[in-house]
Amino acid sequence: MNAPRTLRYPAELVESGLVSAEKLPALEDVAARYAVAITPEIVGLIDPADDADPIARQYVPDPAELRTTPDETGDPIGDKIHEVSEGLIHRYPDRVLLKFVHVCAVYCRFCFRREMVGPQAPHLTPQALEKALDYVRAHPEIWEVVVSGGDPLVASPRRISELVQALADIDHVRVVRFHTRVPMVAPERVTDALVASLTAPGVTGWVAIHANHPHEFTPAARAAIARLADAGIPLVSQTVLLAGINDDAETLGQLMRTFVENRVKPYYLHHGDLAPGTGHFRTSLAAGQDLMRALRGRISGLCQPTYVLDIPGGHGKAPVGPTYVETTPEAVSVEDYRGGKHPYRPGEIRTES
């Protein structure tokens, strides 16, 4: 019997029962523009009978992806504006982002780099990588290197280890952070060799794990995360706020709790970027703020991510969560998690009666 394989073509989605045959022509149009890949781990989670399945909506192509609005762009967060060397983005003073590979284990239908990743995307050559490392060496203000792509954990442990060692040899680089979907979508790749490749003497390795729904935490995914945590690698989360997938307080709260139960500290909740063909995933900022209010005080502080918007045009991330403080020239009022408002006067203590 053949081993399960990653599905990469709409015809394979039809053969596997994930989509109906009548949808094939429309999905082939989508796949001609945006890469498709759904791993066996994810295929096993999808309920083909549920048109609103939260896993399928993240990975199965949809004709809506070919509807682009005037405000959407192929470079929604301005990577090109801050690209200082091929594959190297220097947007913030003390850190850079290295697009180590341009392929992923899966292709999310809402990806903000969807125009730049996929099997046809140009690879970062050894020469380009060395040039990027030379830039890091020449800039002592760089304290952290964020390794992204694509998904860097699709690279071999040997390549990852060589990269981490090269960064560890740069005295001013102290942290190397990997952003990945692999533990959730291809947990079998998280081998002892891969885990060992993520750290080296002289730098601290961190891993940011991307998941958007509690169903993604399969037993295999939990075991992969545990291998990273047991090795002493600090773990943080990344989640995209997605309409119809996690934009309700119950789902989002359970997702954050599940991260924490698996030793992953919630880090960022991203507002949907203005990537082409992703409008059907985006919520309003007000809806995101309401969700953050619903989480505050009702679930543990360990489970609170920072809600952020990557400002279009390359201006960086800004926290856009709700505010609980209202300031006027006369007074300061602070709102509690139940919606009650209380005056704040330094030196005066008020207690509940």
Side-chain angles (χ1 to χ4, degrees):
M1 181 179 295
N2 294 330
R5 68 187 190 281
T6 294
L7 306 181
R8 300 186 182 277
Y9 302 98
E12 294 177 326
L13 304 185
V14 173
E15 291 169 6
S16 67
L18 293 183
V19 298
S20 59
E22 59 265 25
K23 294 181 179 179
L24 181 58
L27 298 191
E28 286 181 332
D29 289 341
V30 178
R33 179 168 181 179
Y34 302 119
V36 175
I38 310 177
T39 58
E41 185 77 5
I42 294 303
V43 171
L45 287 177
I46 293 174
D47 179 1
D50 182 1
D51 289 337
D53 182 83
I55 307 301
R57 290 197 63 233
Q58 294 184 59
Y59 302 106
V60 175
D62 186 319
E65 295 174 50
L66 296 180
R67 295 197 296 265
T68 300
T69 61
D71 56 351
E72 293 176 341
T73 171
D75 186 16
I77 68 169
D79 276 352
K80 285 294 183 183
I81 296 170
H82 298 283
E83 189 171 42
V84 292
S85 178
E86 183 183 349
L88 190 70
I89 313 299
H90 196 175
R91 190 188 318 271
Y92 303 102
D94 74 336
R95 57 205 180 276
V96 291
L97 183 142
L98 176 65
K99 293 190 282 188
F100 186 47
V101 298
H102 292 92
V103 294
C104 298
V106 295
Y107 292 103
C108 305
R109 311 321 304 168
F110 49 85
C111 177
F112 70 96
R113 290 199 178 108
R114 62 197 328 232
E115 300 273 11
M116 310 173 193
V117 299
Q120 306 307 316
H123 296 293
L124 192 66
T125 66
Q127 294 80 10
L129 177 58
E130 189 59 31
K131 187 175 179 181
L133 291 172
D134 283 343
Y135 180 91
V136 176
R137 294 182 185 107
H139 288 76
E141 71 273 21
I142 297 173
W143 172 81
E144 178 184 27
V145 176
V146 179
V147 186
S148 184
D151 192 317
L153 297 198
V154 302
S156 69
R158 176 190 59 80
R159 287 186 64 204
I160 294 170
S161 182
E162 289 174 354
L163 173 65
V164 173
Q165 187 57 62
L167 293 170
D169 289 340
I170 303 172
D171 287 343
H172 53 269
V173 174
R174 308 309 297 272
V175 173
V176 181
R177 185 194 341 159
F178 290 87
H179 285 199
T180 184
R181 272 280 218 183
V182 162
M184 314 306 297
V185 305
E188 71 281 357
R189 295 188 65 92
V190 185
T191 62
D192 290 344
L194 179 68
V195 173
S197 74
L198 300 174
T199 59
V203 291
T204 299
W206 286 66
V207 173
I209 296 174
H210 180 172
N212 298 314
H213 195 277
H215 290 176
E216 295 176 64
F217 285 81
T218 63
R222 291 171 185 260
I225 294 170
R227 287 193 287 276
L228 293 165
D230 289 346
I233 297 174
L235 306 175
V236 295
S237 79
Q238 293 209 107
T239 293
V240 181
L241 181 60
L242 298 167
I245 294 172
N246 58 22
D247 62 334
D248 65 276
E250 181 178 353
T251 299
L252 194 61
Q254 186 56 47
L255 173 61
M256 297 304 152
R257 282 174 165 165
T258 306
F259 274 128
V260 171
E261 290 166 7
N262 286 274
R263 294 179 283 177
V264 182
K265 175 66 181 78
Y267 179 38
Y268 277 151
L269 174 65
H270 293 272
H271 189 74
D273 293 311
L274 296 173
T278 62
H280 53 298
F281 287 111
R282 280 194 299 278
T283 68
S284 67
L285 280 169
Q289 291 171 334
D290 286 345
L291 281 168
M292 293 304 297
R293 282 183 178 275
L295 298 189
R296 176 61 58 186
R298 291 175 172 82
I299 64 173
S300 168
L302 289 172
C303 302
Q304 306 290 330
T306 300
Y307 181 35
V308 294
L309 169 69
D310 222 319
I311 304 169
H315 302 289
K317 295 181 185 68
V320 289
T323 180
Y324 297 86
V325 178
E326 182 179 345
T327 303
T328 69
E330 294 78 28
V332 175
S333 175
V334 182
E335 183 178 344
D336 65 38
Y337 75 93
R338 293 172 295 237
K341 294 189 176 181
H342 310 273
Y344 173 70
R345 300 184 182 93
E348 178 181 328
I349 299 176
R350 292 193 172 198
T351 59
E352 294 182 353
S353 57

